[in-house]
Amino acid sequence: MPALDGVVADVAVAAEDLDRFFGDSHRDLAGVHFTGSTTVFNSMWKTIGASMSNYRNYPRIVGETGGKDFIVAHPSADAAAVAVAIVRGGFEYQGQKCSAASRIYIPQSLWKSVRDQVVAMMKDIKMGDPRDFRNFMSAVIDKKAFDKISEYLGAAKKGAKIIQGGKADGRKGYFIEPTLVQATDPAHRLLCEEIFGPVVTTYVYPDNKWQETLRLVDKTSPYALTGAIFANDREAVREATSMLRNAAGNFYINDKPTGAVVGQQPFGGARASGTNDKAGSKLNLIRWVNTRTIKETLAPPRDYKYPFMGAE
């Protein structure tokens, strides 16, 4: 199968550079493979679409963008396993990865145990220089991220409750404490919007509202990148796997929703999380080739008429 006829760009560009990069002069643009924010990817798609009459081919557009990744626990779940998944999934790399756990759904019967274990681990977390491997967390990437996350911490104090953390210190490095928030409103912005920082928001649901909660998880966020379900009840696992089939391109059972390994767990999500072309697998490779069908006839017909056209 031959490669695409043209140039495939693997880019991460700012929104203001889109017109320059995909200008009218790029007649041979064959495709773009993008990793970055949903906003930039949407602008990129719009820019390419506006120039369709100038391209030799229809460019193939692949994107892996944002996420609002979830952990949903069933009443049968192991509370300790859920707590560790929240801490590792939400606070590793300061929560600054697209697959980081950000919204948590906990049954009332498990909430106190999970909360207390998470808080105990958060108090034990050390922050500082990443060159010191005893530090579990370091600073967020830059001042822009620091200011954005700090704004969300302010929002957490309105209509929600900060259980642990919530402090930001930008005097020497841009440090954000790992923060656990509880929201009573399932539509609170901290449960809906991508934060890209060490802020995890929980919603506690009644134990007898399992299926209703799964529907809530599915419809709350525009993203569909990663998600995890914790349960020891196999029927609950089956229900979650089915009902959340469109809510996460990478779905985890009794594991944190992050840490996919290239070559083992192809990665990608749909909805506002991208085109779900599964980087790290042959499915992604197929997007970048053109399939050509070749037919050879060794005994071609010598009469235009078909046999059924004969006289009766």
Side-chain angles (χ1 to χ4, degrees), residues 1 7 24 33 38 72 85 104 113 118 129 139 165 174 184 217 239-240 248-249 257 275 279 304:
M1 294 185 288
V7 178
D24 294 348
H33 197 301
T38 301
V72 55
I104 316 295
S113 177
V118 169
D129 192 326
Y174 301 113
T184 56
V217 172
E239 287 181 331
T275 56
Y304 82 93

Side-chain angles (χ1 to χ4, degrees), residues 10-37:
D10 189 354
V11 297
V13 295
E16 59 268 21
D17 294 330
L18 295 178
D19 287 334
R20 176 182 59 80
F21 194 87
F22 301 112
D24 294 348
S25 62
H26 293 83
R27 182 170 177 269
D28 292 325
L29 180 68
V32 175
H33 197 301
F34 174 79
T35 300
S37 76

Side-chain angles (χ1 to χ4, degrees), residues 152-172:
Y152 276 105
L153 294 179
K157 299 172 184 177
K158 302 175 183 178
K161 178 182 179 182
I162 295 179
I163 303 296
Q164 177 64 27
K167 295 179 182 177
D169 187 348
R171 292 173 297 177
K172 187 177 181 180

Side-chain angles (χ1 to χ4, degrees), residues 141-272:
I141 191 65
D142 57 20
K143 187 178 188 304
K144 182 179 180 181
F146 178 84
D147 291 342
K148 175 186 175 183
I149 299 166
S150 297
E151 193 274 328
Y152 276 105
L153 294 179
K157 299 172 184 177
K158 302 175 183 178
K161 178 182 179 182
I162 295 179
I163 303 296
Q164 177 64 27
K167 295 179 182 177
D169 187 348
R171 292 173 297 177
K172 187 177 181 180
Y174 301 113
F175 287 91
I176 304 283
E177 277 189 330
T179 301
L180 180 68
V181 178
Q182 181 182 0
T184 56
D185 178 5
H188 193 286
R189 61 180 297 203
L190 267 71
L191 285 165
C192 302
E193 300 175 15
E194 184 182 41
I195 299 174
F196 218 72
V199 181
V200 172
T201 305
T202 58
Y203 174 74
V204 181
Y205 70 90
D207 284 39
N208 63 351
K209 299 292 186 181
W210 169 243
Q211 291 188 350
E212 292 90 333
T213 300
L214 293 180
R215 285 191 282 270
L216 181 65
V217 172
D218 181 57
K219 71 180 183 180
T220 294
S221 169
Y223 299 100
L225 188 54
T226 74
I229 184 262
F230 279 78
N232 289 317
D233 182 331
R234 294 308 300 181
E235 178 61 20
V237 171
R238 186 199 65 78
E239 287 181 331
T241 303
S242 175
M243 294 180 67
L244 298 176
R245 62 189 178 275
N246 296 315
N250 277 52
F251 188 71
Y252 297 79
I253 300 171
N254 291 320
D255 199 1
K256 61 185 175 65
T258 188
V261 179
V262 173
Q264 297 180 20
Q265 298 160 297
F267 189 79
R271 294 180 175 171

